Amino acid sequence: MDTATLWLLPALPLAVAAFLLLIGRFGDRWGHWLGCAGALASFGVAVWAFFAMLGRDDAARPVALDLFSWVPVSGLQVDFGLRLDQLSICFALLITGVGSLIHLYSVGYMAEDKARRRFFAYLQLFLAAMLLLVLANNYLVLYLGWEGVGLASYLLIGFWSHKPSAATAAKKAFVVNRVGDMGLAIAMMVMFATFGSLNFGPVFAAAPGAGEGTMTAIGLLLLLAACGKSAQVPLQSWLGDAMEGPTPVSALIHAATMVTAGVYLIARSNPIFDLAPNARFAVVLVGAVTLLFGAIIGCAKDDIKKALAASTMSQIGYMVLAAGLGPAGYAFAIMHLLTHGFFKAGLFLGAGSVMHAMDDETDMRRYGGLRTLLPITYVTFGLGYLAIIGVPPFAGFFSKDKIIETAFDQGGGAGLALGAITLFGAGLTAYYMTRVMLMTFFGERRWKPDTHPHESPVVMTGPMILLAVGSVFSGLLLVLGSSLQNWLEPVVGAHHGEEVVPAAVVTMLALLVVALGVGFAYYQYAQRGVPETAPEGVGPLTVAARRDLYGDAVNEGVLMRPGRHLTRSLVFVDNRGIDGLVNGAAALIGGLSARVRRVQTGFVRSYALSMLTGAALVVAALLAVRLW
């Protein structure tokens, strides 16, 4: 690919977004098709770039382009630069490819929405921001894309802002992500103070010369940023509420764009994390906690979209955990990210198809028996289900099992603990996804009498079929001959560690755990049936899971209330202390001035008397001194 055309990747969707927002109602009839064309054109450029990259040697594959001098100030020189290498092309293909399918699906899903043109403009803005994020060649341009993704997510989650719940969810996502964004902003400050640059090349080259403490601080700040965008503990609370947006938004955020940004940031910053073992341990810990956190929540959700949102949190946890394992796990984190992009997008679009058929009903307790009425949705959703739970030869089997194997290969007690956590998470995934399948497509029909389920139009089922194909074959293509590992090796490094637990043993354990999860869900929801209302008197863990493991309560108790009290204290100190001192001094001077001013009467006799009195006092003082 010619360096002069690299800018087209983010520029095409950005130009379409600007045009659709400025054209007004004139574009209402055809604006959605222009949005699709923008996404497909960007995908075409990404495919062209990929095949051009295949034709070059490893050393010649990265392509760089400096568009203009962005920050030319003393000591800080930052160009608006782009870089396309083996890592960023993977993300570019995922973002534009899956994003294009979501655009096409949205044509049918948003057909009756009067603001469809604006919706597609926001989708294009989302693609442009995410592409800028992954194509940046320095942290400042990455930060611009990072904030652009946050803006686009706010606009799309709150697209139906006439609903108070949607407006609140958008604001929540925006505020929570600002906490993580502060981590990235401060990390850039530390980088500049330490290395004198924000460009990837100089920062990574100088990193070995910095102290471990500095590297740990930068790594932890980058992890905080990743927690916000990728909905990892403790900044995960926004993800479930984000389901208030239209379903295509959920598919775009959860599969191809926003939640993958944190994983990309960690993988891109691998030279920093490789020099900061404590920061890497924190990454592993966050991923391990989150993969269980999301899986437990998913087991108790009756809303189909929120169950899938909890699943996303858990699957991203797998990726973060793998990235925390360093060179042994970077490639497998990206592999699971790519396969997840196919099957999670397919699952969300399938959920949207079910909602489309059920008059926007999201409660799975109002579904049942839909497999015969929605055959295409059932098959495509089912293939995504088999992929996410890790049934061979579907995509998730290859990518998730590689992460489980890598966790066991850490050796010792840590390897055993991580392996057990990842296995347990696989069992929970099999349970909650089987639960979703059974409650939606099997059993008795539990919907309202006036509901008439019907299959979605071709413009919606077509993208679902293509994503289902990806759910079947993408994992096999990425794992054959260690293809993805070899492809990413120049960027994330190579690892040739010893196999602690044989891969065949890990595979058998994983399949056994998955079978147990499927069997338990089948017993609970197929053999015993699904009550139309959630049963009361359940255990405390189920109650906690229904309430998102009290994530909002924890944030309120740990962050919101102390922050509010701190703010009030600072306001009091400002009002009564700083302002009080300033205002008191002004009042004192003003009072003295008012009293001194009274001496100025304007009468000559008063002034003469004052002069006489003063002169008498001076003479008296002189006489007193002489006599002394």
Side-chain angles (χ1 to χ4, degrees), residues 29-341:
R29 292 186 178 182
W30 45 265
H32 50 286
W33 292 116
L34 180 61
C36 293
L40 288 169
S42 190
F43 176 61
V45 174
V47 172
W48 173 35
F50 173 69
F51 282 104
M53 193 177 289
L54 283 178
R56 299 192 295 267
D57 295 333
D58 284 349
R61 280 173 176 168
V63 176
L65 173 65
D66 290 330
L67 293 173
F68 54 87
S69 180
W70 188 21
V71 184
V73 298
S74 177
L76 179 61
Q77 301 290 326
V78 179
D79 293 333
F80 198 99
L82 305 178
R83 175 184 174 85
L84 186 70
D85 58 15
Q86 291 90 331
L87 177 62
S88 54
I89 190 61
C90 291
F91 280 83
L93 288 170
L94 175 69
I95 294 163
T96 57
V98 175
S100 296
L101 295 177
I102 293 172
H103 275 68
L104 291 172
Y105 177 94
S106 301
V107 172
Y109 191 88
M110 302 294 290
E112 303 300 325
D113 198 296
K114 295 181 179 179
R116 183 167 58 171
R117 171 186 51 82
R118 179 165 55 89
F119 179 78
F120 276 82
Y122 292 163
L123 289 182
Q124 288 286 284
L125 179 62
F126 212 145
L127 291 191
M130 190 65 193
L131 286 168
L132 183 63
L133 190 160
V134 301
L135 293 173
N137 72 351
N138 63 75
Y139 282 100
L140 193 59
V141 176
L142 183 150
Y143 188 74
L144 177 63
W146 192 271
E147 292 300 316
V149 168
L151 170 63
S153 67
Y154 171 78
L155 295 173
L156 286 168
I157 294 170
F159 183 74
W160 290 326
S161 56
H162 58 276
K163 297 166 51 180
S165 57
T168 301
K171 182 173 67 175
K172 182 177 181 180
F174 192 82
V175 171
V176 172
N177 273 275
R178 296 293 74 72
V179 177
D181 295 352
M182 285 301 298
L184 181 54
I186 298 173
M188 290 193 297
M189 298 176 192
V190 178
M191 288 178 195
F192 177 66
T194 305
F195 307 117
S197 176
L198 295 176
N199 290 328
F200 294 151
V203 169
F204 298 158
E212 184 177 321
T214 302
M215 290 294 94
T216 299
I218 295 175
L220 292 176
L221 289 167
L222 293 177
L223 173 60
L224 178 63
C227 286
K229 279 291 182 286
S230 292
Q232 300 293 283
V233 172
L235 300 180
Q236 81 294 340
S237 61
W238 65 270
L239 195 66
D241 292 346
M243 298 302 97
E244 290 293 337
T247 300
V249 174
S250 304
L252 193 63
I253 289 177
H254 288 250
T257 54
M258 187 166 178
V259 295
T260 65
V263 181
Y264 171 80
L265 180 64
I266 296 173
R268 174 59 73 187
S269 305
N270 66 87
I272 293 174
F273 284 97
D274 290 344
L275 295 169
N278 291 328
R280 272 178 47 189
F281 174 75
V283 174
V284 171
L285 184 62
V286 166
V289 171
T290 308
L291 77 86
L292 293 179
F293 204 93
I296 292 171
I297 293 174
C299 292
K301 290 297 183 183
D302 292 332
D303 186 305
I304 187 171
K305 289 176 65 178
K306 290 189 175 182
L308 294 177
S311 169
T312 297
M313 189 192 309
S314 179
Q315 299 305 307
I316 299 293
Y318 273 101
M319 303 171 204
V320 170
L321 185 151
L325 299 178
Y330 289 130
F332 298 136
I334 302 303
M335 180 188 296
H336 195 51
L337 186 150
L338 296 175
T339 59
H340 178 266

Side-chain angles (χ1 to χ4, degrees), residues 237-481:
S237 61
W238 65 270
L239 195 66
D241 292 346
M243 298 302 97
E244 290 293 337
T247 300
V249 174
S250 304
L252 193 63
I253 289 177
H254 288 250
T257 54
M258 187 166 178
V259 295
T260 65
V263 181
Y264 171 80
L265 180 64
I266 296 173
R268 174 59 73 187
S269 305
N270 66 87
I272 293 174
F273 284 97
D274 290 344
L275 295 169
N278 291 328
R280 272 178 47 189
F281 174 75
V283 174
V284 171
L285 184 62
V286 166
V289 171
T290 308
L291 77 86
L292 293 179
F293 204 93
I296 292 171
I297 293 174
C299 292
K301 290 297 183 183
D302 292 332
D303 186 305
I304 187 171
K305 289 176 65 178
K306 290 189 175 182
L308 294 177
S311 169
T312 297
M313 189 192 309
S314 179
Q315 299 305 307
I316 299 293
Y318 273 101
M319 303 171 204
V320 170
L321 185 151
L325 299 178
Y330 289 130
F332 298 136
I334 302 303
M335 180 188 296
H336 195 51
L337 186 150
L338 296 175
T339 59
H340 178 266
F342 285 103
F343 58 70
K344 184 52 63 68
L347 289 170
F348 265 109
L349 297 189
S353 180
V354 172
M355 292 169 56
H356 181 267
M358 299 296 291
D359 299 331
D360 290 329
E361 177 64 67
T362 60
D363 189 348
M364 293 184 293
R365 295 185 183 275
R366 298 290 183 269
Y367 294 166
L370 291 175
R371 67 185 186 279
T372 57
L373 300 174
L374 310 177
I376 299 177
T377 301
Y378 166 63
V379 172
T380 55
F381 194 97
L383 292 174
Y385 154 74
L386 294 173
I388 192 174
I389 69 172
V391 173
F394 298 93
F397 166 75
F398 296 101
S399 58
K400 192 188 297 182
D401 270 31
K402 285 296 183 181
I403 295 176
I404 298 174
E405 291 172 16
T406 306
F408 274 111
D409 288 343
Q410 298 307 298
L416 184 61
L418 289 177
I421 289 172
T422 53
L423 276 178
F424 185 55
L428 290 177
T429 302
Y431 171 79
Y432 68 70
M433 286 306 305
T434 303
R435 177 178 180 269
V436 170
M437 281 294 295
L438 293 174
M439 293 179 70
T440 303
F441 295 103
F442 293 88
E444 297 180 358
R445 299 177 178 182
R446 301 179 300 275
W447 59 74
K448 300 175 183 178
D450 57 344
T451 303
H452 304 286
H454 54 281
E455 188 59 274
S456 299
V458 175
V459 72
M460 294 172 64
T461 56
M464 291 160 56
I465 293 171
L466 293 176
L467 289 170
V469 173
S471 300
V472 176
F473 297 108
S474 62
L476 182 62
L477 293 175
L478 293 174
V479 79
L480 279 177

